[in-house]
Amino acid sequence: MNKPLLALSTALLAAVSHPAIAREAIDADRIVADVKTLASDTFEGRAPGTVGEERTIGYLIARFQDIGLQPAGPDGQWVQKVPLLHTRLAAPKTLAFSGPKGAMPVTVAKDIYISTVRPDDSARIAGAPVVFVGYGVNAPERGWDDFKGMDLKGKVVVFLINDPDFHAKKGEPAAGKFGDRTMTYYGRWTYKFEEAARQGAVGALIVHETEGAGYGWNVVTSPGGENYDIVRSPDKLTSLALQGWLSGEAANRLFGSAGLDLAKLSAAARRPDFKPVPLKGVTFDADVPVAHEEVMSHNVLAQIPGTTRKDEVVMFGAHWDAYGKGAPDAQGRIYRAGANDDGVGIAALFDIARVMKSEPAPQRSVVFAAWTAEERGLLGSEFYAASPVFPMEKTVANLTIDVLQTAGAAKDVTLIGKGQDTLEDDMARVAAAQGRRVTPEGLPERGLFYRADHFSFAKRGVPVMLMMGIAGASDLKQGGVKAGQAWIDAYTGQCYHQACDAWSPEWKMEGAVQDVELVRTIGTDLANSDKWPQWKAGSEFKAARDKSEAARR
């Protein structure tokens, strides 16, 4: 036997004798190394349309190439171009309500928060009537319509946040209609603005309430009048000149000026027979200068082509963008670089790809997607889902990683979106094999299921799974649930979207590795089978998938 063949035979024998050698494992050190690089000052906070993006895109492509993946973008490219509209409001020339009791000026950041996603030089609303539309829900499948056919063209609508059953008491008509305390998409602010535009409104304002929104007024105002959207053709632009929020105190004053009690109207809005209520004699005027520009950003797409079912795709995803440059923090750091949100997700993609590439090629194609502009409204994934490289009907599942807990090994894994699809059954199976159990998310009323890039796929009917470490307190092996909650409180209370979301030598990666290994296992199993995950009965996304059933037969 010649020497090369002898060496090969020896290697094969060693692999058979020691299976652990043949099977790669998720590597915490590799993940940390990529996180430290992506969160370094070199990448300047990874904001779309900046030098930081250019450097990030180059790094992502180089890493995927180094692992041995192939490009998966349009026309065999590594990237998919994502044209973004970037807007920023200047100080208003006019911003006030007028009513029976005279003018009611409102102050930006104190009483009202507004932005626009129209490419206009100024956002103007002149004497628009104001109408209260309850929760602004149009859900025929749930027997609910807050609009009742009212013509809202040219008007400003005011909404309540969350779902009609969020504050409903037992026995009230709304109770249980929208999942009780579990938010549906109808409760999200994004849905409310979308529905306002579909109804033809010229402006839309949501009454802020910390409990219903899941965050304080400071979070609402933090973008400072800045917004992003996908660049749209003139016929696809929203009708909303301005969209935003009213503080609870300002909303009560506004309704009081029209002789209305907001608390009583809010209770009435929990009934299916609710009808829109015009604020008689109340109008809204605004003239706000707008700076706007188009920014070309990019998704990065890589793949391991399938062998026998190449047109069927299992997709792993994470977002590469963070918040760029900001005011110096206490340590003088100016870059909000998102080490955990979502540098760790991108690093996890690299290591999942490395492990899968070391194994026999999968039957189905596996795509690794690094999205832009998640922090600006899931825009990169939304652009892809509207213009997919691989058809949605043949996309088996989207598995998204967006923030992982770095407090240590856990006895459980958090399920986000309980009851949505059969991927939760796969999660339970794999977690059990790890010696873990599944725990439903801690605060389902905050709607995390609708706040990450997988949602762009869910809307098109693709079954999804989200791994997000801040969705519920992990039951840590050291310290239990109390320690898991302490980690969430520290991260979300101090570092979420701030400069201190940086890599720390105090990170304990065992729990993160458990979660990444779980996601990898589910993805690998799907990539080597003919199984199609299914939406469960009652999911609002089941109908979209059912329409394309014939394509999967």
Side-chain angles (χ1 to χ4, degrees):
M1 183 178 289
N2 63 38
K3 290 183 179 179
L5 285 177
L6 177 60
L8 178 59
S9 298
T10 302
L12 289 172
L13 179 60
V16 172
S17 303
H18 304 282
I21 295 175
R23 177 70 185 281
E24 292 284 347
I26 296 299
D27 188 329
D29 291 338
R30 293 174 188 268
I31 292 174
V32 166
D34 278 312
V35 170
K36 290 169 73 173
T37 299
L38 287 165
S40 67
D41 286 356
T42 299
F43 295 88
E44 298 186 358
R46 306 195 308 275
T50 67
V51 170
E53 165 165 357
E54 293 178 16
R55 294 170 181 169
T56 301
I57 298 303
Y59 183 76
L60 298 180
I61 293 172
R63 287 290 289 114
F64 283 130
Q65 285 178 320
D66 183 59
I67 294 167
L69 272 57
Q70 297 181 23
D75 302 318
Q77 302 296 308
W78 286 102
V79 299
Q80 179 186 45
K81 293 181 178 179
V82 182
L84 300 176
L85 171 68
H86 176 208
T87 66
R88 184 188 291 274
L89 301 185
K93 296 179 180 178
T94 303
L95 190 66
F97 293 94
S98 298
K101 297 181 181 179
M104 177 184 157
V106 282
T107 302
V108 171
K110 177 178 180 292
D111 304 309
I112 194 171
Y113 177 79
I114 48 175
S115 67
T116 187
V117 288
R118 289 184 58 91
D120 302 325
D121 294 334
S122 62
R124 290 194 179 99
I125 298 176
V130 179
V131 181
F132 175 62
V133 293
Y135 289 89
V137 172
N138 180 21
E141 79 283 3
R142 297 174 191 251
W144 203 276
D145 176 16
D146 282 330
F147 299 97
K148 305 296 191 297
M150 175 175 279
D151 182 5
L152 295 174
K153 291 180 181 177
K155 298 176 182 177
V156 171
V157 294
V158 179
F159 301 95
L160 299 173
I161 191 60
N162 219 298
D163 292 311
D165 62 356
F166 181 70
H167 287 299
K169 298 179 177 62
K170 187 176 181 180
E172 287 191 20
K177 278 278 190 179
F178 294 85
D180 293 315
R181 298 287 284 185
T182 299
M183 184 189 286
T184 70
Y185 187 51
Y186 298 114
R188 285 285 289 147
W189 59 265
T190 49
Y191 166 80
K192 296 177 191 296
F193 292 152
E194 290 166 2
E195 189 60 40
R198 283 191 286 269
Q199 299 286 337
V202 71
L205 297 168
I206 301 171
V207 177
H208 177 261
E209 175 211 351
T210 297
E211 185 183 11
Y215 39 78
W217 182 249
N218 63 311
V219 175
V220 169
T221 62
S222 61
E226 192 175 26
N227 212 334
Y228 286 81
D229 193 18
I230 295 166
V231 172
R232 304 180 190 274
S233 60
D235 62 316
K236 297 290 179 64
L237 290 174
T238 179
S239 65
L240 301 176
L242 287 169
Q243 60 190 45
W245 300 69
L246 281 172
S247 71
E249 192 276 333
N252 279 307
R253 280 193 289 121
L254 175 64
F255 279 70
S257 73
L260 298 171
D261 186 321
L262 179 56
K264 290 182 179 179
L265 286 176
S266 298
R270 300 198 290 270
R271 298 183 55 86
D273 60 357
F274 168 84
K275 295 180 181 179
V277 179
L279 276 64
K280 292 182 180 179
V282 175
T283 58
F284 182 68
D285 291 271
D287 184 358
V288 187
V290 180
H292 56 92
E293 61 177 342
E294 290 189 8
V295 174
M296 186 59 72
S297 193
H298 305 81
N299 293 324
V300 177
L301 301 166
Q303 66 172 317
I304 303 173
T307 55
T308 59
R309 306 168 73 91
K310 190 173 183 177
D311 63 331
E312 299 171 4
V313 171
V314 175
M315 177 176 282
F316 294 91
H319 69 89
W320 61 256
D321 68 305
Y323 271 89
K325 186 177 179 179
D329 69 356
Q331 296 182 34
R333 295 174 292 193
I334 61 173
Y335 295 123
R336 298 168 291 175
N340 205 332
D341 185 15
D342 187 27
V344 75
I346 293 293
L349 291 195
F350 292 150
D351 215 47
I352 292 171
R354 178 187 64 82
V355 171
M356 294 189 74
K357 190 71 174 113
S358 72
E359 298 174 343
Q363 297 170 27
R364 288 166 158 163
S365 296
V366 179
V367 171
F368 298 86
W371 308 117
T372 183
E374 187 274 350
E375 302 291 9
R376 276 71 181 177
L378 318 182
L379 299 181
S381 58
E382 175 64 24
F383 185 87
Y384 175 92
S387 305
V389 179
F390 303 91
M392 291 287 110
E393 60 268 20
K394 288 294 190 75
T395 301
V396 179
N398 175 280
L399 309 173
T400 290
I401 300 173
D402 193 349
V403 179
L404 295 174
Q405 66 89 354
T406 56
K411 302 174 186 177
D412 61 351
V413 60
T414 302
L415 169 64
I416 301 168
K418 180 177 172 58
Q420 285 286 1
D421 62 43
T422 58
L423 288 170
E424 72 176 64
D425 304 323
D426 296 324
M427 174 185 276
R429 170 179 55 82
V430 177
Q434 294 179 320
R436 298 198 291 168
R437 67 183 186 279
V438 171
T439 301
E441 60 190 299
L443 296 169
E445 64 269 27
R446 294 188 178 178
L448 286 178
F449 186 81
Y450 311 97
R451 291 165 58 178
D453 285 310
H454 71 291
F455 181 58
S456 300
F457 293 82
K459 287 193 294 185
R460 275 84 177 179
V462 177
V464 296
M465 189 178 75
L466 171 64
M467 191 65 68
M468 182 176 279
I470 59 175
S474 296
D475 184 2
L476 300 178
K477 290 185 177 180
Q478 298 294 323
V481 174
K482 183 177 180 181
Q485 187 62 53
W487 178 84
I488 289 179
D489 292 344
Y491 178 70
T492 60
Q494 301 171 26
C495 295
Y496 188 52
H497 296 171
Q498 305 300 318
C500 66
D501 185 359
W503 176 79
S504 167
E506 295 180 3
W507 279 17
K508 299 175 183 177
M509 294 296 292
E510 296 91 345
V513 167
Q514 288 175 305
D515 288 347
V516 176
E517 182 61 37
L518 183 147
V519 174
R520 184 210 63 79
T521 300
I522 291 174
T524 300
D525 290 349
L526 289 173
N528 289 292
S529 75
D530 59 1
K531 176 183 175 182
W532 294 94
Q534 301 293 317
W535 292 100
K536 296 194 173 185
S539 171
E540 59 264 52
F541 310 110
K542 186 176 186 300
R545 191 63 160 182
D546 289 348
K547 290 178 182 178
S548 63
E549 180 64 30
R552 293 182 293 281
R553 291 174 183 164

